[in-house]
Amino acid sequence: MRSGNSNLYRSLYKTKLTLLAVVAIVVGVALLLLSAWAERQPGWELLSSAVVNDVGIALLTTGLVVVAFEYINREHGEEQAMHRLREVVAEQAPAIRDAVIQGFAFNADDLARVSSPETLDQVARNTLAIQLKDEELAHDVYSDLSKQVLRAPERWYDVDVSVSLDPWTGGPASGRGSMFVATVRWEYRVIPSQPVMRFSAVSDMGDYRALLEDPTTTGAWYFEPVGDLTAASPEAFELVQLTVNGDERRIRRSSRKSAQTYTVDTGVTPDGSKEVKLSYTYRVLIQRNSHLLALDFPRPAKGVKVSFSYGGSGIRYVHSLDLIASAQKARISKSPASVPKLTVELGFDGWIFPRSGVVFVWVLEDEMKAKLLEEAAS
């Protein structure tokens, strides 16, 4: 558009200049003819004076010069203009470059407005390569970060997770088949990406890995079959409650061989702007002799607090492992052994990316007693 306007203005200027030259020539010729005619007419000597004749000659000469100059300059004018433009650009190029870089560096909206997603990806990779001084490492880091964060359907904030461990009364108290009932409650803020939340429990490790990669899955749980219990058993996994901004939502359950799924319609239209507070609670069976409980974070999350309560469960000691790749350290605290409600709490203020998690590992009281008896007998 600017190039078109520039050509229009240039053409208009040339037209005006040519018109002025033509007018000057016509007027000049007219004055010369008038002067010549007046010399032959008695009483008109004033019009044949040298002033009229000189003015006519001046106008004619000026018009002819303008026409000649326009004709000669037309061939070289564009080249001269481009030469001047190149000189100006070459002189001002560093200042223009610095202004553009500074503008993009401090105003992300401008950079996003004039750049495609592919260009932004390349800018990010190049910037990382400069900082890391390793192009291959920068490419791998950015690709991994892009898969975990940029393609994540949601981001969770102020995630509060509480786990309460109790003995399961539906089986043996110890040994093979003995279980803990873990009551797990999640609460966090989020802008939903879909109106339906889906929770699944499976007994096939391949299905479990596929669910972890499925963006429509809110939570997935793997349950190793024990006796008649599989992931399809209601005792093995149950979604107890789900609320949206404090309002309880209806839960639907479906099952198939060695798997079950709970779905909940949140009633929220995912328009990308409405933030809600989600809270849900589920119960799951965990083998006592597995000695661990792992909690995975399926979405990027910022500000995480996890509380693990195990009082009265026959656990002697609990050790927590945070599988969080970050320069920040998680805060871990334990309640004194003298209180009845034994808990381990873990807090992390930064971002937790998918494939991160928290693992609680325990030692059973009866195992410690058995070991002490063996040592005493020997």
Side-chain angles (χ1 to χ4, degrees):
M1 181 64 71
R2 291 183 179 179
S3 177
N5 290 338
S6 177
N7 292 333
L8 179 61
Y9 294 149
R10 192 181 300 112
S11 299
L12 183 61
Y13 170 77
K14 290 181 178 180
T15 301
K16 288 181 178 180
L17 188 63
T18 304
L19 180 60
L20 181 62
V22 171
V23 171
I25 292 173
V26 171
V27 173
V29 170
L31 290 176
L32 291 175
L33 291 175
L34 180 61
S35 177
W37 175 81
E39 287 181 356
R40 297 189 296 269
Q41 302 297 327
W44 292 84
E45 293 81 1
L46 182 63
L47 292 177
S48 62
S49 64
V51 174
V52 175
N53 190 67
D54 291 345
V55 171
I57 293 174
L59 289 174
L60 177 62
T61 303
T62 300
L64 292 175
V65 170
V66 169
V67 171
F69 177 79
E70 174 63 20
Y71 176 79
I72 296 172
N73 188 62
R74 182 179 302 171
E75 185 175 349
H76 304 288
E78 293 292 335
E79 183 178 349
Q80 292 175 354
M82 290 301 298
H83 179 70
R84 288 195 296 270
L85 180 61
R86 292 191 191 97
E87 288 181 343
V88 172
V89 171
E91 181 180 349
Q92 298 297 324
I96 296 174
R97 179 199 60 202
D98 294 343
V100 171
I101 293 175
Q102 290 294 326
F104 286 164
F106 292 101
N107 196 331
D109 293 337
D110 289 344
L111 182 59
R113 186 169 56 251
V114 301
S115 302
S116 64
E118 294 76 13
T119 302
L120 293 176
D121 287 340
Q122 191 60 49
V123 169
R125 283 193 291 266
N126 291 342
T127 304
L128 274 176
I130 294 172
Q131 293 293 93
L132 299 176
K133 297 180 176 59
D134 189 326
E135 185 174 351
E136 183 178 358
L137 175 60
H139 184 276
D140 293 342
V141 168
Y142 183 75
S143 297
D144 189 59
L145 185 65
S146 175
K147 292 177 182 178
Q148 293 190 70
V149 179
L150 296 182
R151 300 177 188 175
E154 298 174 344
R155 296 171 189 175
W156 296 354
Y157 299 89
D158 299 332
V159 183
D160 191 349
V161 186
S162 62
V163 182
S164 179
L165 215 59
D166 299 290
W168 181 49
T169 58
S174 61
R176 179 176 175 79
S178 60
M179 300 277 184
F180 285 134
V181 179
T183 303
V184 185
R185 182 178 183 274
W186 291 70
E187 184 175 86
Y188 53 85
R189 295 184 296 108
V190 64
I191 298 177
S193 62
Q194 53 195 6
V196 177
M197 300 179 67
R198 185 174 289 105
F199 303 82
S200 299
V202 295
S203 291
D204 182 88
M205 185 56 70
D207 292 342
Y208 174 70
R209 293 194 182 98
L211 288 172
L212 292 180
E213 300 294 333
D214 187 355
T216 64
T217 298
T218 306
W221 192 267
Y222 172 75
F223 183 84
E224 181 183 2
V226 178
D228 296 333
L229 289 173
T230 67
S233 304
E235 302 92 337
F237 181 84
E238 180 186 8
L239 181 63
V240 179
Q241 185 186 50
L242 189 146
T243 63
V244 179
N245 291 330
D247 297 328
E248 192 165 343
R249 306 300 298 178
R250 183 180 177 184
I251 299 173
R252 292 180 173 85
R253 176 182 180 272
S254 62
S255 63
R256 56 185 175 86
K257 184 180 180 180
S258 300
Q260 61 175 316
T261 300
Y262 292 86
T263 57
V264 181
D265 186 348
T266 62
V268 179
T269 302
D271 58 1
S273 62
K274 185 177 181 181
E275 184 182 83
V276 298
K277 191 169 188 177
L278 290 175
S279 176
Y280 54 84
T281 303
Y282 59 81
R283 286 195 294 261
V284 63
L285 290 182
I286 304 171
Q287 297 186 50
R288 288 177 80 249
N289 294 335
S290 68
H291 297 93
L292 66 86
L293 170 65
L295 296 174
D296 297 321
F297 290 90
R299 306 286 189 267
K302 183 177 183 181
V304 174
K305 178 183 177 183
V306 182
S307 176
F308 182 81
S309 301
Y310 58 98
S313 60
I315 292 178
R316 176 72 174 272
Y317 179 80
V318 172
H319 184 64
S320 59
L321 303 173
D322 64 284
L323 306 180
I324 303 171
S326 174
Q328 301 183 38
K329 291 185 178 180
R331 303 182 306 275
I332 299 176
S333 61
K334 299 180 181 180
S335 62
S338 58
V339 301
K341 187 178 179 180
L342 299 175
T343 59
V344 177
E345 291 186 353
L346 182 144
F348 188 78
D349 296 330
W351 279 100
I352 292 180
F353 298 141
R355 303 182 187 278
S356 300
V358 178
V359 177
F360 296 99
V361 183
W362 57 76
V363 177
L364 297 172
E365 190 73 48
D366 52 11
E367 291 177 337
M368 292 295 295
K369 291 180 180 179
K371 185 176 180 180
L372 291 175
L373 290 175
E374 289 180 3
E375 292 177 353
S378 62

